[in-house]
Amino acid sequence: MQKQEFKDRIYSELATLTKAMANPYRLQIIELLAQGSRTVEEIAGQLTLSIANASQHLQVLKGANMVSLQKEGHYAHYRLANEDIYAVWQSLRDLGINRMAEIDRTLREFREEKSSFQAISIDELLQKIDQDNVLILDVRPEKEYKAGHIPQALSVPIDQLAQRIVDCPAGQEVIVYCRGPFCVFADEAVELLRERGITASRLDEGFPDWKRRQLPISVPL
Amino acid sequence: MQKQEFKDRIYSELATLTKAMANPYRLQIIELLAQGSRTVEEIAGQLTLSIANASQHLQVLKGANMVSLQKEGHYAHYRLANEDIYAVWQSLRDLGINRMAEIDRTLREFREEKSSFQAISIDELLQKIDQDNVLILDVRPEKEYKAGHIPQALSVPIDQLAQRIVDCPAGQEVIVYCRGPFCVFADEAVELLRERGITASRLDEGFPDWKRRQLPISVPL
DNA sequence: CAATTATTCAATAGATTTATTGAATAATTG
DNA sequence: CAATTATTCAATAAATCTATTGAATAATTG
């Protein structure tokens, strides 16, 4: 094989892969599937897309071997084809957060309204778990909690938080986590908790990031 | 800011960033600039693009804040805007190498011809440096070696290797590195060395990967 | 087996991306 | 200041991407 042909093949394949990711909805699909497998209908619902359009985006990801599907009855369950895909999303996301002025601006603006700008890292959380008396809340939908969660965390889906807030002992420090830095559940939870006078902050990443660091997780049998 | 507007803004910005990378030439530019800054002319020459076309691709990368430029005389010197960009390239590249059948096939085919399939990792090289008597060759152009290299390495640009090969003591184990896994210099070097009966293998990553791991490097004053 | 349901397919129009060409700009040299 | 040089800009046509629409498929239910 000639040098030129080699380069052409390699880089055009990699560009194809990159193109498959290069769409706002498909990035959201990747992030959503990092929480576990989903049907076309569920994905379309989450992203407010038509079913046909969601299916089409999934075909693009499948064409790049980034997702795989398993048919059960007349449902197609899509999942990420492998873990490395999440690694790419992670580095892309972090580049955006750390280096893109426009994303930084959007995050600040959104979080100022919610008073949720303060966040702690996974490393800081690990320290707190060892040293302090900290309450960890998983505010994702229960289904996602059940599919795997941080061992010490309680499941309090964001839409149940308002009713269950009384359970929280006064003076208790609370750390809230959700799907990741662009998932608004944790921001909404912090807003709600602070309004009730509870000291709460966000984890700056999500459960998939915790999991990828090979930290202990609780999973169903 | 509404939840929907927040998500729309964030993900469309990230998709813009991804789109800026999603082209075979622009991926090559990112990789090339990871070796140091380059003028438009140099980039066009390396990738066999017209000057106007190379400039246009650079505008796209600049529009996404992925490269910056410094004008000197009538040359524009382009460089990567920050290090996180290389991290994205790295994870994308590794996804391709580890998970894409078509890329794996191309790499195998190319390296079978060059007998350069055997490679060692940076970790293995670090061990060898400590324990064994190993000769490390940097086969990139001299300019790149001078801009920074693995401390123990000798500079033997690939086009000088054939003449200088006599210097190598018999029985000496040789490790060759270049720009990265898709740079063919190390493959060509291994082919040449093996033809002359020298035990040689590639490093499976390149100098930018060594550097990003914060390992010691030799740099000019 | 007809009706229902989840998903995919196919066709289309509008938007975006790409390479090419040649002219415009702006710094340097003679 | 005219000529040269490196780069950018602008215009264009071909290719590709995107959302929408409605029909096709294939599994399940009554």
Side-chain angles (χ1 to χ4, degrees):
Chain A
M1 198 188 324
Q2 294 305 303
K3 184 171 165 171
Q4 193 57 50
E5 188 199 342
F6 170 75
K7 296 226 166 187
D8 286 353
R9 278 213 233 167
I10 292 280
Y11 288 98
S12 77
E13 276 295 321
L14 283 171
T16 303
L17 194 63
T18 314
K19 271 193 188 121
M21 294 183 51
N23 173 283
Y25 297 112
R26 294 201 292 272
L27 288 176
Q28 287 183 71
I29 290 173
I30 289 169
E31 223 193 355
L32 182 59
L33 293 186
Q35 306 295 327
S37 73
R38 292 284 183 282
T39 66
V40 181
E41 199 181 27
E42 288 170 324
I43 293 164
Q46 282 276 333
L47 312 196
T48 51
L49 285 177
S50 74
I51 299 273
N53 199 186
S55 171
Q56 225 166 310
H57 282 302
L58 285 163
Q59 298 308 310
V60 174
L61 291 171
K62 185 152 75 79
N65 290 305
M66 301 187 82
V67 302
S68 62
L69 81 166
Q70 198 183 343
K71 294 216 172 186
E72 269 176 40
H74 39 214
Y75 289 91
H77 295 265
Y78 280 88
R79 63 179 70 253
L80 290 189
N82 63 69
E83 243 200 27
D84 292 8
I85 292 162
Y86 191 75
V88 177
W89 160 248
Q90 249 183 343
S91 59
L92 192 64
R93 179 193 79 180
D94 293 344
L95 172 62
I97 293 174
N98 299 322
R99 306 285 186 169
M100 293 192 69
E102 181 55 34
I103 289 180
D104 188 58
R105 204 173 310 128
T106 303
L107 287 171
R108 278 177 192 282
E109 195 181 322
F110 184 73
R111 287 177 176 155
E112 250 158 49
E113 291 172 23
K114 304 240 176 295
S115 315
S116 62
F117 205 80
Q118 199 193 322
I120 71 167
S121 67
I122 288 179
D123 287 318
E124 287 166 336
L125 178 57
L126 288 169
Q127 278 189 359
K128 278 186 192 285
I129 288 172
D130 270 1
Q131 295 165 8
D132 309 346
N133 171 30
V134 66
L135 176 67
I136 309 177
L137 299 187
D138 184 323
V139 295
R140 298 175 299 162
E142 199 175 0
K143 178 185 171 189
E144 293 172 23
Y145 176 86
K146 281 193 174 153
H149 58 87
I150 296 179
Q152 298 83 353
L154 293 180
S155 175
V156 186
I158 183 67
D159 46 11
Q160 292 174 26
L161 181 60
Q163 301 130 51
R164 293 177 53 186
I165 214 163
V166 284
D167 300 352
C168 186
Q172 173 70 66
E173 183 185 2
V174 179
I175 306 295
V176 183
Y177 75 89
C178 55
R179 292 168 175 168
F182 307 136
C183 169
V184 301
F185 295 153
D187 295 286
E188 292 172 349
V190 167
E191 184 181 30
L192 206 71
L193 290 164
R194 295 213 166 197
E195 280 170 6
R196 315 287 169 103
I198 296 164
T199 312
S201 26
R202 270 183 318 115
L203 188 64
D204 69 355
E205 299 189 281
F207 178 69
D209 305 292
W210 172 281
K211 188 176 166 195
R212 239 187 81 77
R213 283 187 50 178
Q214 319 277 11
L215 294 167
I217 59 175
S218 295
V219 285
L221 301 177
Chain B
M1 197 186 328
Q2 293 305 305
K3 183 170 165 172
Q4 193 57 51
E5 189 199 342
F6 170 75
K7 295 226 167 188
D8 286 353
R9 278 214 232 166
I10 294 281
Y11 288 98
S12 78
E13 276 294 321
L14 283 171
T16 303
L17 193 66
T18 314
K19 270 190 189 124
M21 295 184 51
N23 172 284
Y25 296 113
R26 293 201 291 272
L27 288 175
Q28 286 183 73
I29 290 173
I30 289 169
E31 222 192 356
L32 183 59
L33 293 185
Q35 307 294 326
S37 73
R38 291 284 183 283
T39 66
V40 182
E41 199 181 27
E42 287 170 323
I43 293 165
Q46 282 275 336
L47 312 195
T48 50
L49 287 178
S50 74
I51 299 273
N53 199 185
S55 171
Q56 225 165 309
H57 283 302
L58 285 162
Q59 299 307 311
V60 174
L61 290 170
K62 186 152 75 76
N65 290 306
M66 302 186 83
V67 303
S68 62
L69 81 166
Q70 197 183 345
K71 294 216 173 187
E72 269 177 40
H74 38 216
Y75 288 91
H77 296 266
Y78 279 88
R79 64 179 68 253
L80 290 188
N82 63 68
E83 242 200 25
D84 293 8
I85 291 162
Y86 192 75
V88 178
W89 161 249
Q90 249 183 343
S91 58
L92 193 64
R93 178 193 81 180
D94 292 344
L95 172 63
I97 293 174
N98 299 322
R99 306 285 186 168
M100 293 192 67
E102 181 55 34
I103 289 181
D104 187 59
R105 204 174 309 127
T106 304
L107 287 171
R108 278 177 193 279
E109 195 181 321
F110 185 74
R111 287 177 176 155
E112 249 159 49
E113 290 173 19
K114 304 243 174 294
S115 314
S116 61
F117 204 81
Q118 199 193 323
I120 71 166
S121 66
I122 289 180
D123 287 319
E124 288 166 334
L125 177 58
L126 288 167
Q127 278 190 357
K128 277 186 192 284
I129 290 172
D130 270 1
Q131 295 166 8
D132 310 347
N133 170 31
V134 66
L135 177 65
I136 308 177
L137 299 186
D138 184 323
V139 294
R140 297 175 300 161
E142 200 176 358
K143 177 185 171 185
E144 293 171 24
Y145 176 86
K146 280 192 174 153
H149 57 85
I150 296 178
Q152 297 84 352
L154 294 179
S155 175
V156 185
I158 184 68
D159 47 11
Q160 290 173 28
L161 181 60
Q163 300 130 52
R164 293 176 54 186
I165 213 162
V166 284
D167 301 351
C168 186
Q172 174 69 64
E173 183 185 2
V174 178
I175 306 295
V176 183
Y177 75 88
C178 54
R179 293 169 174 167
F182 307 136
C183 169
V184 302
F185 295 153
D187 295 286
E188 291 171 348
V190 167
E191 183 180 31
L192 206 71
L193 290 165
R194 296 215 165 194
E195 280 168 10
R196 313 289 169 98
I198 296 164
T199 311
S201 24
R202 270 182 319 114
L203 188 64
D204 68 356
E205 299 190 280
F207 178 69
D209 305 291
W210 173 280
K211 189 175 165 195
R212 239 187 81 78
R213 283 188 48 178
Q214 319 278 12
L215 294 167
I217 59 175
S218 295
V219 283
L221 301 178

